[in-house]
Amino acid sequence: EKNCRVRCSEIMASASGNMGDATTSSGKMDYVNQSQIVGMIISAVVGAVLGAVISFTVNCTLVEISVNAFFAVYFGVLFCLISGWMLWRVATGEHPRPVLLGTFSALVMMAGLLCFVLESDWVINMSRGAKVPLYTILGIAVTFALLFSIVDLVNFCYGASSGPGKALVESEQQVLLIVATACVLGFFFGLVFGLLDVEDADFAHLRQALNRQEHICYPIGASISAVAAAINQYMRYKQGEEYKYEAVAKDDVLDDEDF
């Protein structure tokens, strides 16, 4: 009977220890999940603000390109330089999916060349419907160049401040996310700009037309950018977990010296 009591006590102690470990592990998992959710919310807020800034910048750029010959040439040269820089970065192999990024770099180059002919008679005499695809392509190129530059700058600043480690955007899936976000944002910005016929508004009503466009584009830019930023942060968490699992798996492999 005494042995039975001792055995029961050991079993109960072991069960209590296992429950304590399970509770501790569960608490850690809950903490990690909560921290990830908070990080995704913060990323979404920052992304929304950045999306509104991108919307304002792209809209003003489209207006300046369409109504001012000097700025059209200026942005044309700027886009060609950005495209050349992006093509050089792709050629050095610093980004995944070089073919895809090279294609969009060529699109930025085409937009730069397009800026030189916007003041031509054949463009000015085009109808509103015919100009919509033109400004849609231009909007995608402007957004892609701007977003690519911002992401590259953020990666550089993040790496310089935090030391060697994972960048904010580095994986193939994250690059595809940035490309898709730039395409969607640029498409809507150019579409709204062309449909509202902002470029043909006279100087007295240009500000009013721009405000009307911004009221439509701000929510679009903020919402899409917020979702993209949250997804990007989720991808970073998943990649960190996969890296940990891979490291553990490598540590579990026995060397010849272990035998």
Side-chain angles (χ1 to χ4, degrees):
E1 182 180 355
K2 183 177 180 180
N3 292 334
C4 291
R5 290 180 179 178
V6 173
R7 183 59 179 170
C8 290
S9 299
E10 292 176 354
I11 294 174
M12 292 179 64
S14 178
S16 299
N18 292 335
M19 292 179 62
D21 294 340
T23 303
T24 303
S25 178
S26 177
K28 291 181 179 179
M29 290 297 296
D30 292 340
Y31 174 76
V32 172
N33 292 334
Q34 291 177 1
S35 63
Q36 291 180 357
I37 293 175
V38 172
M40 292 175 63
I41 293 175
I42 295 175
S43 299
V45 173
V46 175
V49 176
L50 183 62
V53 173
I54 292 175
S55 174
F56 174 79
T57 305
V58 173
N59 291 334
C60 291
T61 302
L62 291 177
V63 171
E64 292 295 341
I65 290 175
S66 60
V67 302
N68 193 311
F70 171 78
F71 280 102
V73 175
Y74 170 78
F75 282 109
V77 174
L78 181 62
F79 290 154
C80 291
L81 292 177
I82 293 177
S83 176
W85 175 57
M86 292 165 61
L87 289 173
W88 177 78
R89 293 293 304 274
V90 171
T92 57
E94 297 185 19
H95 289 276
R97 290 296 182 98
V99 175
L100 181 62
L101 287 179
T103 302
F104 275 90
S105 301
L107 179 63
V108 176
M109 177 68 73
M110 185 179 67
L113 299 177
L114 187 62
C115 292
F116 295 112
V117 299
L118 283 179
E119 298 300 324
S120 302
D121 293 335
W122 66 273
V123 176
I124 296 176
N125 296 328
M126 292 174 63
S127 62
R128 178 191 301 184
K131 290 182 181 179
V132 169
L134 186 69
Y135 283 105
T136 299
I137 296 175
L138 190 59
I140 293 175
V142 173
T143 306
F144 181 79
L146 180 61
L147 194 57
F148 180 89
S149 302
I150 291 176
V151 169
D152 218 34
L153 179 63
V154 170
N155 274 342
F156 175 79
C157 295
Y158 182 80
S161 61
S162 61
K166 295 184 71 62
L168 293 179
V169 177
E170 65 173 358
S171 69
E172 184 176 325
Q173 291 78 13
Q174 287 175 302
V175 173
L176 291 177
L177 176 65
I178 297 301
V179 171
T181 303
C183 289
V184 174
L185 288 176
F187 173 80
F188 280 113
F189 294 159
L191 180 65
V192 173
F193 186 87
L195 291 177
L196 294 181
D197 204 15
V198 180
E199 72 279 2
D200 289 335
D202 53 32
F203 185 78
H205 299 88
L206 183 60
R207 183 59 185 176
Q208 182 180 358
L210 181 60
N211 288 335
R212 185 169 65 252
Q213 181 195 9
E214 290 175 350
H215 290 160
I216 298 175
C217 292
Y218 278 162
I220 296 176
S223 58
I224 294 177
S225 299
V227 173
I231 295 176
N232 178 73
Q233 188 67 16
Y234 176 76
M235 289 180 177
R236 293 186 70 242
Y237 286 137
K238 298 299 290 185
Q239 290 164 8
E241 293 175 358
E242 292 175 358
Y243 177 78
K244 292 178 182 178
Y245 294 152
E246 183 180 356
V248 171
K250 289 181 179 179
D251 292 339
D252 289 341
V253 177
L254 298 178
D255 297 330
D256 293 338
E257 299 176 356
D258 296 331
F259 294 96

